[in-house]
Coordinates of all heavy atoms in Angstrom, one line a residue:
M568 N 3.9 2.9 22.8 CA 2.9 2.8 21.7 C 1.6 2.3 22.2 O 0.6 2.6 21.7 CB 3.5 1.9 20.6 CG 2.5 1.6 19.5 SD 2.8 2.7 18.2 CE 2.2 1.6 16.9
K569 N 1.7 1.5 23.3 CA 0.5 0.9 23.8 C -0.6 1.9 24.1 O -1.8 1.6 23.8 CB 0.9 0.1 25.1 CG -0.2 -0.7 25.6 CD 0.2 -1.6 26.8 CE -0.9 -2.4 27.4 NZ -0.4 -3.2 28.5
N570 N -0.3 3.0 24.7 CA -1.3 4.0 25.1 C -1.3 5.2 24.2 O -2.0 6.1 24.5 CB -1.0 4.4 26.6 CG -1.2 3.3 27.5 OD1 -2.2 2.5 27.4 ND2 -0.3 3.1 28.5
N571 N -0.6 5.1 23.1 CA -0.6 6.3 22.2 C -1.7 6.1 21.1 O -1.4 5.6 20.1 CB 0.8 6.5 21.6 CG 0.9 7.8 21.0 OD1 -0.1 8.4 20.5 ND2 2.1 8.3 20.9
V572 N -2.9 6.6 21.4 CA -4.0 6.4 20.5 C -3.7 7.1 19.1 O -4.0 6.5 18.1 CB -5.3 7.1 21.1 CG1 -6.4 7.0 20.2 CG2 -5.6 6.3 22.4
I573 N -3.2 8.2 19.1 CA -2.9 8.9 17.9 C -2.0 8.2 17.0 O -2.2 8.0 15.8 CB -2.4 10.4 18.1 CG1 -3.5 11.2 18.8 CG2 -1.9 11.0 16.8 CD1 -3.0 12.5 19.3
R574 N -0.9 7.6 17.5 CA 0.0 6.8 16.8 C -0.6 5.6 16.2 O -0.4 5.2 15.0 CB 1.2 6.4 17.6 CG 2.4 7.2 17.4 CD 3.5 6.5 18.2 NE 4.8 7.0 17.8 CZ 5.9 7.0 18.5 NH1 5.9 6.4 19.6 NH2 7.0 7.4 18.0
R575 N -1.4 4.9 17.0 CA -2.1 3.7 16.5 C -3.1 4.1 15.4 O -3.1 3.4 14.4 CB -2.8 3.0 17.6 CG -1.9 2.3 18.6 CD -2.7 1.4 19.5 NE -3.9 1.9 20.1 CZ -4.1 2.5 21.3 NH1 -3.0 2.6 22.0 NH2 -5.2 2.9 21.7
K576 N -3.8 5.2 15.5 CA -4.7 5.6 14.5 C -4.0 5.9 13.2 O -4.5 5.6 12.1 CB -5.6 6.8 14.9 CG -6.6 6.4 15.9 CD -7.5 7.5 16.2 CE -8.5 7.2 17.3 NZ -9.7 6.6 16.9
I577 N -2.8 6.5 13.3 CA -2.0 6.8 12.1 C -1.6 5.6 11.4 O -1.7 5.4 10.2 CB -0.8 7.7 12.5 CG1 -1.3 9.1 12.8 CG2 0.2 7.8 11.3 CD1 -0.2 10.0 13.4
K578 N -1.1 4.6 12.2 CA -0.7 3.3 11.6 C -1.9 2.6 10.9 O -1.7 2.0 9.9 CB -0.1 2.4 12.7 CG 1.3 2.8 13.0 CD 2.0 1.7 13.8 CE 3.4 2.1 14.0 NZ 4.3 1.5 13.1
V579 N -3.1 2.6 11.6 CA -4.2 2.0 11.0 C -4.6 2.7 9.7 O -4.9 2.0 8.7 CB -5.4 1.9 12.0 CG1 -6.7 1.6 11.3 CG2 -5.1 1.0 13.1
N580 N -4.6 4.0 9.7 CA -4.9 4.8 8.5 C -4.0 4.5 7.4 O -4.3 4.4 6.2 CB -5.0 6.3 8.8 CG -6.2 6.6 9.6 OD1 -7.2 5.9 9.6 ND2 -6.2 7.7 10.3
N581 N -2.7 4.4 7.7 CA -1.7 4.1 6.7 C -1.9 2.7 6.1 O -1.8 2.5 4.9 CB -0.2 4.2 7.3 CG 0.2 5.6 7.6 OD1 -0.4 6.5 7.0 ND2 1.2 5.7 8.4
L582 N -2.2 1.7 7.0 CA -2.5 0.4 6.5 C -3.7 0.4 5.6 O -3.6 -0.2 4.5 CB -2.8 -0.5 7.7 CG -3.3 -1.9 7.3 CD1 -2.3 -2.8 6.6 CD2 -3.8 -2.6 8.6
M583 N -4.8 1.0 5.9 CA -6.0 1.0 5.1 C -5.7 1.8 3.8 O -6.2 1.3 2.7 CB -7.2 1.6 5.9 CG -7.6 0.7 7.0 SD -7.7 -1.0 6.7 CE -9.0 -1.1 5.4
S584 N -5.0 2.8 3.8 CA -4.6 3.5 2.6 C -3.9 2.7 1.6 O -4.1 2.6 0.4 CB -3.9 4.8 2.9 OG -3.5 5.5 1.8
E585 N -2.9 1.9 2.2 CA -2.1 1.0 1.4 C -3.0 -0.1 0.8 O -2.8 -0.5 -0.4 CB -1.0 0.4 2.2 CG 0.0 -0.4 1.5 CD 1.0 0.5 0.7 OE1 1.2 1.6 1.0 OE2 1.5 -0.1 -0.3
V586 N -3.8 -0.6 1.6 CA -4.7 -1.7 1.1 C -5.6 -1.2 0.0 O -5.8 -1.9 -1.0 CB -5.6 -2.3 2.3 CG1 -6.7 -3.1 1.8 CG2 -4.7 -3.0 3.3
Q587 N -6.2 0.0 0.2 CA -7.1 0.6 -0.9 C -6.3 0.7 -2.2 O -6.8 0.4 -3.2 CB -7.6 1.9 -0.4 CG -8.6 1.8 0.7 CD -8.7 3.1 1.5 OE1 -8.1 4.1 1.1 NE2 -9.5 3.1 2.6
H588 N -5.1 1.3 -2.1 CA -4.3 1.5 -3.3 C -4.0 0.2 -4.0 O -4.1 0.1 -5.2 CB -3.1 2.3 -2.9 CG -2.2 2.5 -4.1 ND1 -2.4 3.4 -5.1 CD2 -1.0 2.0 -4.4 CE1 -1.5 3.4 -6.0 NE2 -0.6 2.5 -5.6
N589 N -3.5 -0.8 -3.2 CA -3.2 -2.1 -3.7 C -4.3 -2.8 -4.3 O -4.2 -3.5 -5.3 CB -2.5 -2.9 -2.7 CG -1.1 -2.4 -2.4 OD1 -0.5 -1.7 -3.1 ND2 -0.5 -2.8 -1.2
L590 N -5.5 -2.7 -3.7 CA -6.7 -3.4 -4.1 C -7.1 -3.0 -5.5 O -7.3 -3.8 -6.4 CB -7.9 -3.2 -3.2 CG -9.2 -3.9 -3.6 CD1 -9.0 -5.4 -3.7 CD2 -10.3 -3.5 -2.6
R591 N -7.1 -1.7 -5.8 CA -7.5 -1.2 -7.1 C -6.5 -1.7 -8.2 O -6.9 -2.2 -9.2 CB -7.6 0.3 -7.1 CG -7.9 0.9 -8.5 CD -8.1 2.3 -8.5 NE -9.4 2.6 -8.0 CZ -9.7 3.6 -7.2 NH1 -8.8 4.5 -6.9 NH2 -10.9 3.8 -6.8
G592 N -5.2 -1.5 -7.9 CA -4.2 -1.9 -8.8 C -4.2 -3.4 -9.1 O -4.1 -3.9 -10.3
L593 N -4.3 -4.2 -8.1 CA -4.4 -5.7 -8.2 C -5.6 -6.1 -9.0 O -5.5 -7.0 -9.8 CB -4.3 -6.3 -6.8 CG -4.1 -7.8 -6.7 CD1 -2.9 -8.2 -7.4 CD2 -4.1 -8.2 -5.3
R594 N -6.7 -5.5 -8.7 CA -8.0 -5.9 -9.4 C -7.8 -5.6 -10.9 O -8.1 -6.4 -11.7 CB -9.1 -5.1 -8.8 CG -10.4 -5.3 -9.6 CD -11.6 -4.5 -9.0 NE -11.4 -3.0 -9.1 CZ -11.5 -2.3 -10.2 NH1 -11.8 -2.8 -11.3 NH2 -11.3 -1.0 -10.1
K595 N -7.2 -4.5 -11.2 CA -7.0 -4.1 -12.6 C -6.0 -5.0 -13.3 O -6.2 -5.4 -14.4 CB -6.6 -2.6 -12.7 CG -7.8 -1.7 -12.5 CD -7.4 -0.3 -12.6 CE -8.6 0.6 -12.4 NZ -8.3 2.0 -12.7
R596 N -4.9 -5.3 -12.6 CA -3.9 -6.2 -13.2 C -4.4 -7.6 -13.5 O -4.0 -8.3 -14.3 CB -2.7 -6.3 -12.2 CG -1.7 -5.2 -12.4 CD -0.4 -5.5 -11.7 NE -0.5 -5.9 -10.3 CZ -0.6 -5.1 -9.3 NH1 -0.7 -3.8 -9.4 NH2 -0.7 -5.6 -8.0
N597 N -5.4 -8.0 -12.7 CA -6.1 -9.3 -12.9 C -7.3 -9.3 -13.8 O -8.1 -10.2 -13.9 CB -6.4 -9.9 -11.5 CG -5.2 -10.5 -10.8 OD1 -4.8 -11.6 -11.1 ND2 -4.6 -9.7 -10.0
N598 N -7.5 -8.1 -14.4 CA -8.6 -7.9 -15.3 C -9.9 -8.2 -14.7 O -10.8 -8.9 -15.4 CB -8.4 -8.7 -16.6 CG -7.1 -8.2 -17.4 OD1 -6.9 -7.0 -17.5 ND2 -6.3 -9.2 -17.8
L599 N -10.1 -7.8 -13.5 CA -11.4 -8.0 -12.8 C -12.1 -6.6 -12.7 O -11.5 -5.6 -12.4 CB -11.2 -8.5 -11.4 CG -10.7 -9.9 -11.3 CD1 -10.4 -10.2 -9.8 CD2 -11.7 -10.9 -11.8
T600 N -13.4 -6.7 -13.0 CA -14.2 -5.5 -12.7 C -14.6 -5.4 -11.2 O -14.4 -6.4 -10.5 CB -15.5 -5.5 -13.5 OG1 -16.3 -6.6 -13.0 CG2 -15.3 -5.7 -15.0
Q601 N -15.1 -4.3 -10.8 CA -15.5 -4.2 -9.4 C -16.6 -5.2 -9.1 O -16.7 -5.8 -8.0 CB -15.9 -2.8 -9.1 CG -14.8 -1.8 -9.0 CD -15.3 -0.4 -8.8 OE1 -16.4 0.0 -9.0 NE2 -14.4 0.4 -8.3
T602 N -17.5 -5.4 -10.1 CA -18.6 -6.4 -9.9 C -18.1 -7.8 -9.8 O -18.5 -8.6 -8.9 CB -19.5 -6.3 -11.1 OG1 -20.0 -4.9 -11.2 CG2 -20.7 -7.2 -11.0
Q603 N -17.1 -8.2 -10.6 CA -16.5 -9.5 -10.5 C -15.8 -9.8 -9.2 O -16.0 -10.8 -8.6 CB -15.5 -9.7 -11.7 CG -16.2 -9.8 -13.0 CD -15.2 -9.8 -14.2 OE1 -14.2 -9.1 -14.1 NE2 -15.5 -10.5 -15.2
L604 N -15.0 -8.8 -8.7 CA -14.4 -8.9 -7.4 C -15.4 -9.0 -6.3 O -15.3 -9.7 -5.4 CB -13.4 -7.8 -7.2 CG -12.6 -7.9 -5.9 CD1 -11.9 -9.2 -5.7 CD2 -11.6 -6.7 -5.7
G605 N -16.4 -8.1 -6.4 CA -17.5 -8.1 -5.4 C -18.2 -9.5 -5.3 O -18.5 -10.0 -4.2
A606 N -18.4 -10.2 -6.4 CA -19.0 -11.5 -6.4 C -18.1 -12.5 -5.7 O -18.6 -13.3 -4.9 CB -19.2 -12.0 -7.9
K607 N -16.8 -12.4 -5.9 CA -15.8 -13.3 -5.2 C -15.9 -13.0 -3.6 O -15.7 -13.9 -2.9 CB -14.4 -13.1 -5.7 CG -14.2 -13.6 -7.1 CD -12.8 -13.3 -7.5 CE -12.5 -13.8 -8.9 NZ -12.3 -15.3 -9.0
L608 N -16.1 -11.8 -3.2 CA -16.1 -11.4 -1.8 C -17.6 -11.4 -1.2 O -17.7 -11.1 -0.1 CB -15.5 -10.0 -1.6 CG -14.0 -9.9 -1.9 CD1 -13.6 -8.5 -1.8 CD2 -13.2 -10.8 -0.8
S609 N -18.5 -11.7 -2.0 CA -20.0 -11.7 -1.6 C -20.4 -10.3 -1.2 O -21.1 -10.1 -0.2 CB -20.2 -12.7 -0.5 OG -19.9 -14.0 -0.9
V610 N -20.0 -9.3 -1.9 CA -20.4 -7.9 -1.7 C -20.8 -7.4 -3.1 O -20.4 -7.9 -4.1 CB -19.4 -7.0 -1.0 CG1 -19.0 -7.6 0.4 CG2 -18.1 -6.9 -1.9
D611 N -21.5 -6.2 -3.1 CA -21.8 -5.6 -4.4 C -20.7 -4.7 -4.9 O -19.8 -4.4 -4.3 CB -23.2 -4.9 -4.3 CG -23.2 -3.8 -3.3 OD1 -22.1 -3.4 -2.9 OD2 -24.3 -3.3 -3.0
Q612 N -20.9 -4.3 -6.2 CA -19.9 -3.4 -6.8 C -19.7 -2.1 -6.1 O -18.6 -1.6 -6.0 CB -20.4 -3.1 -8.3 CG -19.6 -2.1 -9.1 CD -19.9 -0.7 -8.8 OE1 -21.1 -0.4 -8.6 NE2 -18.9 0.2 -8.8
A613 N -20.7 -1.5 -5.5 CA -20.6 -0.3 -4.8 C -19.7 -0.5 -3.6 O -18.9 0.5 -3.2 CB -22.0 0.2 -4.4
T614 N -19.8 -1.6 -2.9 CA -18.9 -1.9 -1.8 C -17.4 -1.9 -2.2 O -16.6 -1.3 -1.5 CB -19.3 -3.2 -1.1 OG1 -20.7 -3.1 -0.7 CG2 -18.4 -3.4 0.1
I615 N -17.1 -2.5 -3.3 CA -15.8 -2.6 -3.8 C -15.3 -1.1 -4.1 O -14.2 -0.7 -3.8 CB -15.6 -3.5 -5.1 CG1 -16.0 -4.9 -4.7 CG2 -14.2 -3.4 -5.6 CD1 -15.1 -5.6 -3.6
S616 N -16.1 -0.4 -4.8 CA -15.8 1.0 -5.1 C -15.5 1.8 -3.8 O -14.6 2.5 -3.7 CB -17.0 1.7 -5.8 OG -16.7 3.0 -6.0
N617 N -16.4 1.6 -2.8 CA -16.2 2.2 -1.5 C -14.9 1.8 -0.8 O -14.2 2.6 -0.2 CB -17.4 2.0 -0.6 CG -18.6 2.8 -1.1 OD1 -18.5 3.8 -1.8 ND2 -19.8 2.3 -0.7
F618 N -14.5 0.5 -0.9 CA -13.3 0.0 -0.4 C -12.1 0.8 -1.1 O -11.2 1.2 -0.4 CB -13.1 -1.5 -0.6 CG -13.9 -2.4 0.2 CD1 -14.0 -3.7 -0.2 CD2 -14.5 -2.0 1.4 CE1 -14.8 -4.6 0.6 CE2 -15.2 -2.9 2.2 CZ -15.4 -4.2 1.7
E619 N -12.2 0.9 -2.4 CA -11.1 1.4 -3.1 C -10.9 2.9 -2.9 O -9.8 3.5 -3.0 CB -11.2 1.2 -4.6 CG -11.1 -0.3 -5.0 CD -11.3 -0.6 -6.4 OE1 -11.7 0.3 -7.2 OE2 -11.0 -1.7 -6.8
T620 N -12.0 3.6 -2.6 CA -11.9 5.1 -2.4 C -11.8 5.4 -0.9 O -11.6 6.6 -0.5 CB -13.2 5.8 -2.9 OG1 -14.3 5.2 -2.3 CG2 -13.2 5.6 -4.4
G621 N -11.9 4.4 0.0 CA -11.8 4.7 1.4 C -13.1 5.1 2.1 O -13.1 5.5 3.3
R622 N -14.2 5.1 1.4 CA -15.5 5.5 2.0 C -16.0 4.4 3.0 O -16.7 4.6 3.9 CB -16.5 5.8 1.0 CG -16.3 7.1 0.3 CD -17.5 7.4 -0.6 NE -17.5 6.5 -1.7 CZ -17.2 6.7 -3.0 NH1 -16.8 7.9 -3.3 NH2 -17.3 5.8 -3.9
T623 N -15.5 3.1 2.7 CA -15.9 2.0 3.6 C -14.6 1.3 4.0 O -13.8 1.1 3.2 CB -16.8 1.0 2.8 OG1 -18.0 1.7 2.4 CG2 -17.2 -0.2 3.7
V624 N -14.6 0.9 5.3 CA -13.4 0.2 5.8 C -13.8 -1.3 5.8 O -14.8 -1.7 6.3 CB -13.1 0.7 7.2 CG1 -11.9 -0.2 7.8 CG2 -12.7 2.1 7.2
M625 N -12.9 -2.1 5.2 CA -13.2 -3.5 5.1 C -12.9 -4.2 6.4 O -12.1 -3.7 7.2 CB -12.5 -4.2 4.0 CG -11.0 -4.2 4.0 SD -10.2 -4.9 2.6 CE -10.5 -3.6 1.4
T626 N -13.5 -5.3 6.7 CA -13.3 -6.0 7.9 C -12.0 -6.8 7.8 O -11.5 -7.0 6.7 CB -14.4 -7.0 8.2 OG1 -14.4 -8.0 7.2 CG2 -15.8 -6.3 8.3
V627 N -11.5 -7.3 8.9 CA -10.3 -8.2 8.8 C -10.6 -9.4 8.0 O -9.8 -9.9 7.2 CB -9.8 -8.5 10.3 CG1 -8.7 -9.5 10.2 CG2 -9.4 -7.3 11.0
A628 N -11.8 -10.0 8.2 CA -12.2 -11.1 7.4 C -12.1 -10.8 5.9 O -11.6 -11.7 5.1 CB -13.6 -11.6 7.8
Q629 N -12.6 -9.7 5.5 CA -12.6 -9.3 4.1 C -11.2 -9.1 3.6 O -10.8 -9.6 2.5 CB -13.4 -8.1 3.8 CG -14.9 -8.3 4.0 CD -15.7 -7.0 4.1 OE1 -15.3 -6.0 4.6 NE2 -16.9 -7.1 3.6
L630 N -10.4 -8.5 4.4 CA -9.0 -8.3 4.1 C -8.3 -9.7 3.9 O -7.5 -9.9 2.9 CB -8.3 -7.5 5.2 CG -6.8 -7.2 5.0 CD1 -6.6 -6.3 3.8 CD2 -6.3 -6.5 6.2
Y631 N -8.6 -10.6 4.7 CA -8.0 -12.0 4.6 C -8.5 -12.7 3.4 O -7.7 -13.4 2.7 CB -8.2 -12.8 5.9 CG -7.5 -14.1 5.9 CD1 -6.1 -14.1 5.9 CD2 -8.1 -15.3 6.0 CE1 -5.4 -15.3 5.9 CE2 -7.4 -16.5 6.0 CZ -6.1 -16.5 6.0 OH -5.4 -17.6 6.0
E632 N -9.8 -12.5 3.1 CA -10.3 -13.1 1.9 C -9.6 -12.6 0.6 O -9.4 -13.4 -0.3 CB -11.8 -12.8 1.8 CG -12.7 -13.8 2.6 CD -14.2 -13.6 2.3 OE1 -14.6 -14.0 1.2 OE2 -14.8 -13.0 3.1
I633 N -9.3 -11.3 0.6 CA -8.6 -10.7 -0.5 C -7.3 -11.4 -0.7 O -6.8 -11.7 -1.8 CB -8.5 -9.2 -0.4 CG1 -9.9 -8.6 -0.6 CG2 -7.5 -8.6 -1.4 CD1 -10.0 -7.1 -0.2
Y634 N -6.6 -11.6 0.5 CA -5.3 -12.3 0.4 C -5.5 -13.7 -0.1 O -4.7 -14.2 -0.9 CB -4.6 -12.3 1.8 CG -3.5 -13.2 1.8 CD1 -2.3 -12.9 1.2 CD2 -3.5 -14.5 2.4 CE1 -1.2 -13.7 1.2 CE2 -2.4 -15.3 2.4 CZ -1.3 -15.0 1.8 OH -0.2 -15.8 1.8
L635 N -6.5 -14.4 0.3 CA -6.7 -15.8 -0.2 C -7.0 -15.8 -1.7 O -6.7 -16.7 -2.4 CB -7.9 -16.4 0.6 CG -7.6 -16.7 2.1 CD1 -8.9 -17.2 2.8 CD2 -6.4 -17.6 2.3
I636 N -7.7 -14.8 -2.2 CA -8.0 -14.7 -3.6 C -6.8 -14.4 -4.4 O -6.5 -15.1 -5.4 CB -9.1 -13.6 -3.9 CG1 -10.4 -14.1 -3.3 CG2 -9.2 -13.3 -5.4 CD1 -11.5 -13.0 -3.2
F637 N -6.0 -13.4 -4.0 CA -4.9 -13.0 -4.8 C -3.5 -13.5 -4.4 O -2.5 -13.4 -5.1 CB -4.8 -11.4 -4.8 CG -6.0 -10.8 -5.5 CD1 -6.9 -10.1 -4.8 CD2 -6.1 -10.9 -6.9 CE1 -7.9 -9.4 -5.4 CE2 -7.2 -10.3 -7.5 CZ -8.1 -9.6 -6.8
G638 N -3.5 -14.1 -3.2 CA -2.2 -14.7 -2.7 C -1.1 -13.7 -2.5 O -1.4 -12.5 -2.1
D639 N 0.1 -14.0 -2.8 CA 1.2 -13.1 -2.5 C 1.2 -11.9 -3.4 O 2.0 -11.0 -3.2 CB 2.5 -13.9 -2.7 CG 2.7 -14.9 -1.5 OD1 2.1 -14.7 -0.4 OD2 3.5 -15.9 -1.7
D640 N 0.4 -11.9 -4.5 CA 0.3 -10.7 -5.3 C -0.3 -9.5 -4.5 O -0.1 -8.4 -4.9 CB -0.6 -11.0 -6.5 CG 0.1 -11.9 -7.5 OD1 1.4 -12.0 -7.5 OD2 -0.6 -12.5 -8.4
F641 N -1.1 -9.9 -3.5 CA -1.7 -8.8 -2.6 C -0.6 -8.4 -1.7 O -0.4 -8.9 -0.6 CB -2.9 -9.3 -1.9 CG -3.6 -8.3 -1.0 CD1 -4.1 -7.2 -1.6 CD2 -3.7 -8.5 0.3 CE1 -4.7 -6.2 -0.9 CE2 -4.3 -7.5 1.1 CZ -4.8 -6.4 0.5
D642 N 0.2 -7.4 -2.1 CA 1.3 -6.9 -1.3 C 0.9 -5.7 -0.4 O 0.4 -4.7 -0.9 CB 2.4 -6.4 -2.3 CG 3.6 -5.9 -1.6 OD1 4.0 -6.5 -0.5 OD2 4.3 -5.0 -2.1
C643 N 1.1 -5.9 0.8 CA 0.8 -4.9 1.8 C 2.0 -4.9 2.8 O 2.1 -5.8 3.6 CB -0.5 -5.1 2.5 SG -1.0 -3.8 3.5
P644 N 2.9 -3.9 2.7 CA 4.1 -3.9 3.5 C 3.8 -3.9 5.0 O 4.7 -4.2 5.8 CB 4.8 -2.6 3.1 CG 3.9 -1.8 2.3 CD 2.8 -2.7 1.9
F645 N 2.7 -3.5 5.5 CA 2.4 -3.4 6.9 C 2.0 -4.8 7.4 O 1.9 -5.0 8.6 CB 1.3 -2.4 7.2 CG 1.7 -1.0 7.1 CD1 1.3 -0.3 6.0 CD2 2.4 -0.4 8.0 CE1 1.7 1.0 5.8 CE2 2.8 0.9 7.9 CZ 2.4 1.6 6.8
I646 N 1.8 -5.8 6.5 CA 1.4 -7.1 7.0 C 2.4 -8.1 6.6 O 2.8 -8.2 5.4 CB 0.0 -7.5 6.4 CG1 -1.1 -6.5 6.8 CG2 -0.3 -8.9 6.8 CD1 -2.4 -6.8 6.2
K647 N 2.9 -8.9 7.5 CA 3.9 -9.9 7.2 C 3.3 -11.3 7.4 O 2.7 -11.5 8.5 CB 5.1 -9.8 8.2 CG 5.8 -8.4 8.1 CD 6.9 -8.4 7.2 CE 7.7 -7.2 7.3 NZ 7.7 -6.3 6.2
Y648 N 3.3 -12.1 6.5 CA 2.7 -13.5 6.6 C 3.8 -14.4 7.2 O 4.9 -14.4 6.8 CB 2.2 -14.0 5.2 CG 1.1 -13.1 4.8 CD1 1.3 -12.0 3.9 CD2 -0.2 -13.2 5.3 CE1 0.3 -11.2 3.6 CE2 -1.2 -12.4 4.9 CZ -1.0 -11.4 4.0 OH -2.0 -10.5 3.7
T649 N 3.4 -15.1 8.2 CA 4.3 -16.0 8.9 C 4.7 -17.2 8.2 O 5.8 -17.8 8.5 CB 3.7 -16.4 10.3 OG1 2.5 -17.2 10.0 CG2 3.3 -15.2 11.1
G650 N 3.9 -17.7 7.2 CA 4.2 -18.9 6.5 C 3.9 -20.1 7.3 O 4.2 -21.2 6.9
K651 N 3.4 -20.0 8.5 CA 3.0 -21.2 9.3 C 1.8 -21.8 8.7 O 1.1 -21.3 7.8 CB 2.7 -20.7 10.7 CG 3.9 -20.2 11.5 CD 3.5 -19.8 12.9 CE 4.8 -19.2 13.6 NZ 4.4 -18.6 14.9
E652 N 1.6 -23.0 9.1 CA 0.5 -23.9 8.6 C -0.8 -23.1 8.6 O -1.6 -23.3 7.7 CB 0.4 -25.2 9.4 CG -0.5 -26.1 8.8 CD -0.5 -27.5 9.5 OE1 0.5 -28.1 9.5 OE2 -1.5 -27.8 10.2
N653 N -1.1 -22.4 9.6 CA -2.4 -21.7 9.7 C -2.5 -20.4 8.9 O -3.5 -19.8 8.8 CB -2.8 -21.5 11.2 CG -1.8 -20.6 11.9 OD1 -0.9 -20.1 11.3 ND2 -2.0 -20.5 13.2
N654 N -1.4 -19.9 8.4 CA -1.3 -18.7 7.5 C -2.0 -17.5 8.1 O -2.5 -16.7 7.5 CB -2.0 -19.0 6.1 CG -1.0 -19.7 5.2 OD1 0.2 -19.6 5.4 ND2 -1.5 -20.4 4.3
I655 N -1.9 -17.4 9.4 CA -2.4 -16.2 10.1 C -1.4 -15.1 10.0 O -0.3 -15.2 10.4 CB -2.8 -16.5 11.6 CG1 -3.8 -17.6 11.6 CG2 -3.2 -15.2 12.3 CD1 -4.1 -18.0 13.1
P656 N -1.9 -13.9 9.4 CA -0.9 -12.8 9.2 C -0.7 -12.1 10.5 O -1.5 -12.1 11.4 CB -1.7 -11.9 8.2 CG -3.1 -12.2 8.4 CD -3.2 -13.6 8.8
S657 N 0.5 -11.6 10.6 CA 0.8 -10.7 11.8 C 1.0 -9.3 11.3 O 1.6 -9.1 10.2 CB 2.1 -11.2 12.5 OG 3.2 -11.2 11.6
V658 N 0.4 -8.3 12.0 CA 0.4 -6.9 11.6 C 1.4 -6.2 12.4 O 1.5 -6.3 13.6 CB -1.0 -6.3 11.7 CG1 -1.0 -4.9 11.3 CG2 -2.0 -7.1 10.9
Y659 N 2.3 -5.5 11.7 CA 3.3 -4.7 12.4 C 3.0 -3.2 12.4 O 2.4 -2.7 11.5 CB 4.7 -4.9 11.8 CG 5.2 -6.3 12.0 CD1 5.0 -7.3 11.0 CD2 5.8 -6.6 13.2 CE1 5.5 -8.5 11.2 CE2 6.3 -7.9 13.4 CZ 6.1 -8.8 12.4 OH 6.6 -10.1 12.6

């Protein structure tokens, strides 16, 4: 897997697709508009829309901020949280 670029890209694309799908659902379940979520992440409404549709890829920092906002409700099967004191996620 280390040198298999195509496999890695597929895994990254699957992860981002899952994040996009979960973000929209989670935002709606928490009765947040794109504007309200954008304010929490310090981005505008268009950026949230672009995250949800896949036009913009969020940074690792933004992904982690979303986890901090929604906690364990932000379910992403490709990311396992270690539960250690520093709460640094490990990606599989």
Side-chain angles (χ1 to χ4, degrees):
M568 175 96 152
K569 185 176 180 181
N570 294 318
N571 193 334
V572 175
I573 294 171
R574 257 189 164 158
R575 287 195 316 266
K576 285 186 186 269
I577 289 171
K578 284 193 173 263
V579 167
N580 288 339
N581 288 341
L582 169 69
M583 292 316 298
S584 177
E585 188 75 25
V586 166
Q587 292 158 3
H588 177 73
N589 287 342
L590 179 60
R591 175 176 283 143
L593 189 58
R594 177 181 59 77
K595 288 183 177 185
R596 279 194 306 278
N597 283 276
N598 297 315
L599 291 172
T600 65
Q601 290 178 337
T602 302
Q603 290 168 326
L604 180 56
K607 290 178 180 281
L608 293 172
S609 301
V610 298
D611 61 13
Q612 175 274 326
T614 302
I615 298 299
S616 176
N617 289 338
F618 285 163
E619 292 180 352
T620 59
R622 286 187 293 255
T623 301
V624 177
M625 63 184 74
T626 66
V627 173
Q629 290 166 327
L630 182 64
Y631 189 62
E632 279 189 74
I633 290 169
Y634 169 73
L635 293 175
I636 291 167
F637 294 113
D639 290 336
D640 289 340
F641 183 61
D642 181 35
C643 191
F645 289 101
I646 300 176
K647 304 267 190 243
Y648 295 94
T649 62
K651 293 180 182 174
E652 187 175 293
N653 57 10
N654 278 336
I655 297 175
S657 58
V658 179
Y659 292 96

